[in-house]
Amino acid sequence: MLKAAEIRDDTVIGIEAGWAGLLENRMREIKFADFEDAIGVGGTMLTTSRTNPLKNDNGIEIVQASLKKAEIDALIAVGGDDTLGVAAKLSEKGARVLGIPKTIDNDLAGTDYSFGFFTAVDETMKLIESLATTGRSHERVMVVEVMGRDAGWIASLSGMAAGASIILVPEFKTDIESVADMVMLRQKRGKKSAVIVVAEGVDLGYKGEIEKDEFGHPLVAKSDESNAAFLARYIEKKTGIETRATVLGHTVRGTPPNAYDRVMTTRMGFHAVEAIHKGRSGIMVAIHGLDIVEVPLAEGSKKRYLDGETWRVAKSFFG
Ligand code: F6P
């Protein structure tokens, strides 16, 4: 068992701007006191980027050379499937690398939850409820778009928690005519307003070519028209009910972490440091149920989509 003092004796080098930091030599030592105020702050004090070293012919070699030059014994990569996919490649090449799952999208195969996700769900739930309140006052349909370019975790869990009338996710197709029909059905039942949650990555069939990032993912948040705006226009036209669109997008990505995320992250970070002291490499620290576990990085960093069972439950409350 590792003692706190041993952890405090480690030298911690913070790498700035994700993989760009190792390509451009942007790193600095982090002292224990630097963490003091960090627990309740969203975002990252190290900054981040969407730089992909695999796009560069000898990117992995540059990263390895930077680690060696900075005398870094082990690297803890914190991120989603892109960041951890690179970490897995680096580990294959012999570097000592561990991963920690951090993505608002919650779409990593090896863990039940990634940190940041439940904070986003909490915040989104409150904002959906607030939109539902103004929707009820004005007897309007409120369409709210949330992040999730190919995974509907935020949309489904926050929508479920806020009692949304309908939720649309990328994994399970919902035809938009049935959305308008459901709004009309609500009217017949005396419900004069509705709140509809749509994930940004749902394909409503109107978008053309979308710019991609270095990992080849569509930058849906940069689209000319949001899913919310498109859907709101469609619903208003089809039903004749006044409809408004709101895109939450990046607003929920900078909120202070909730208690669950703070505790889970602390446990994961502690476990990762202990794992380094035990000589481990090529693993991702994960949460399975209530337990912090280790899973192979290459497997754990793969994508995970919203499961059919969660969707079945969410769907049963639509209308
Ligand atoms: O990968 C996480 C994510 O939050 C996606 O849900 C979203 O599409 C994307 O990031 C937005 O990226 P950016 O901050 O580069 O616009």
Side-chain angles (χ1 to χ4, degrees), residues 41-275:
V41 184
T44 163
M45 65 199 236
L46 289 172
T47 70
T48 185
S49 73
R50 295 209 178 273
T51 304
N52 180 4
L54 303 174
K55 286 277 278 186
N56 184 329
D57 277 349
N58 51 356
I60 288 286
E61 287 72 24
I62 299 173
V63 166
Q64 280 178 305
S66 300
L67 290 172
K68 202 162 168 213
K69 192 162 164 234
E71 296 179 350
I72 293 172
D73 300 317
L75 175 70
I76 301 177
V78 180
D81 61 316
D82 292 335
T83 304
L84 299 184
V86 175
K89 278 269 166 339
L90 199 58
S91 158
E92 258 172 44
K93 300 259 179 191
R96 269 193 79 193
V97 190
L98 288 81
I100 294 191
K102 184 260 351 142
T103 163
I104 193 175
D105 293 339
N106 199 40
D107 56 352
L108 281 166
T111 189
D112 289 353
Y113 301 114
S114 50
F115 73 81
F117 171 65
F118 267 112
T119 298
V121 169
D122 275 352
E123 199 62 22
T124 306
M125 174 194 75
K126 287 184 220 150
L127 294 166
I128 296 171
E129 282 177 338
S130 165
L131 289 166
T133 302
T134 178
R136 269 193 299 275
S137 308
H138 290 261
E139 300 190 332
R140 285 174 178 158
V141 176
M142 305 301 289
V143 182
V144 49
E145 178 175 319
V146 300
M147 276 189 172
R149 57 189 166 199
D150 42 25
W153 288 103
I154 300 179
S156 56
L157 267 67
S158 61
M160 219 194 295
S165 322
I166 305 162
I167 305 166
L168 287 89
V169 295
E171 295 93 333
F172 302 96
K173 198 166 167 47
T174 307
D175 129 52
I176 54 171
E177 270 184 47
S178 70
V179 176
D181 291 346
M182 247 187 262
V183 169
M184 289 312 284
L185 195 67
R186 280 177 66 81
Q187 292 276 312
K188 284 201 192 108
R189 289 186 188 137
K191 294 268 183 198
K192 300 234 181 290
S193 66
V195 62
I196 298 170
V197 181
V198 58
E200 61 180 355
V202 170
D203 184 4
L204 296 175
Y206 70 96
K207 282 186 181 159
E209 193 62 20
I210 301 175
E211 189 186 328
K212 298 211 166 73
D213 69 15
E214 288 204 2
F215 288 89
H217 299 305
L219 288 164
V220 273
K222 280 180 85 181
S223 310
D224 290 340
E225 184 168 41
S226 63
N227 271 349
F230 178 83
L231 198 55
R233 226 184 19 251
Y234 175 86
I235 291 169
E236 190 167 275
K237 205 164 157 219
K238 266 288 220 199
T239 65
I241 304 163
E242 229 189 336
T243 305
R244 293 288 188 269
T246 303
V247 178
L248 294 183
H250 295 79
T251 47
V252 295
R253 218 166 60 177
T255 45
N258 66 10
Y260 179 82
D261 276 340
R262 293 180 198 201
V263 173
M264 176 168 73
T265 312
T266 304
R267 291 178 68 204
M268 282 180 170
F270 190 88
H271 189 105
V273 174
E274 261 193 340

